[in-house]
Amino acid sequence: MFGTVIIDAYSKDETEALANAIDDICCPNDNYGWASAGIYCFWDYNTHEVLYIGLASDLYERFRQHNGLLPMQNEGCKYEQI
């Protein structure tokens, strides 16, 4: 079994561009590219502390939720912590 690891650090003003890049490479509506499901991790850039590890069926949508680009209830999202 193969896996892909993507590591990126981004600022708040780069969030939308990174979300679009994720959609380009792993869109669930396409029949090419990488799988849209996966495990993801948010970490503190300076301390390397892991903030959250999760599993998503749609990485693009989940990334947007966690970064405040899609509305979501606080109970199901780590936007405040991240």
Side-chain angles (χ1 to χ4, degrees):
M1 180 175 284
F2 293 103
T4 302
V5 176
I6 302 170
I7 299 174
D8 199 353
Y10 59 96
S11 63
K12 185 69 175 163
D13 62 328
E14 297 171 317
T15 306
E16 186 71 44
L18 186 53
N20 291 333
I22 292 169
D23 190 41
D24 284 344
I25 62 173
C26 58
C27 178
N29 300 324
D30 294 336
N31 59 2
Y32 61 89
W34 299 337
S36 61
I39 297 170
Y40 61 93
C41 176
F42 285 98
W43 52 280
D44 183 295
Y45 181 81
N46 295 312
T47 66
H48 302 253
E49 175 189 7
V50 172
L51 302 174
Y52 184 74
I53 298 175
L55 174 65
S57 58
D58 185 338
L59 290 166
Y60 166 73
E61 179 179 57
R62 200 66 177 134
F63 179 86
R64 291 180 62 80
Q65 291 169 340
H66 278 317
N67 283 277
L69 300 175
L70 284 178
M72 178 134 189
Q73 295 178 354
N74 286 338
E75 299 83 42
C77 185
K78 303 297 185 233
Y79 176 68
E80 294 293 325
Q81 294 86 352
I82 294 170

